[in-house]
Amino acid sequence: MPDPLIEIRNLTVSFAVGGVLLPAVKELTLTLQPNEVVGLVGESGSGKSTALLAVMNYLPGNAVVETGSIVHGGIGPAPRRIGPPSTGSAAAASP
């Protein structure tokens, strides 16, 4: 079997609000194989968007990844970058 495209293990993400950590995602484990389609379903506010923002390393500045790992394509943990990308060359290239 090929390496998973994305493997999330025990991911917990919280938001720092007023000096308190408010949990948004608790111990999410998910594996996505090549050519597999997965739907992430849940109530409003259940952490779906937060989980996917963590996978893309695009969490806002007050987000804290407390536990877990995210592996992309079997090549190791994704680097942690908090916040939007820099506005360098990508911003210059956009119309």
Side-chain angles (χ1 to χ4, degrees), residues 6-87:
I6 297 173
E7 188 170 9
I8 304 167
R9 287 184 230 133
N10 299 315
L11 179 68
T12 297
V13 180
S14 296
F15 288 95
V17 179
V20 176
L21 286 178
L22 302 174
V25 177
K26 293 182 183 178
E27 299 179 4
L28 173 67
T29 296
L30 174 77
T31 302
L32 179 62
Q33 297 293 337
N35 300 315
E36 183 177 37
V37 177
V38 174
L40 193 56
V41 179
E43 294 183 29
S44 177
S46 64
K48 302 176 300 291
S49 295
T50 299
L52 296 179
L53 288 170
V55 168
M56 298 183 300
N57 295 315
Y58 201 67
L59 289 167
N62 67 330
V64 178
V65 177
E66 294 190 74
T67 63
S69 65
I70 301 170
V71 178
H72 292 248
I75 58 172
R80 296 278 179 225
R81 179 180 48 76
I82 304 299
S86 66
T87 57

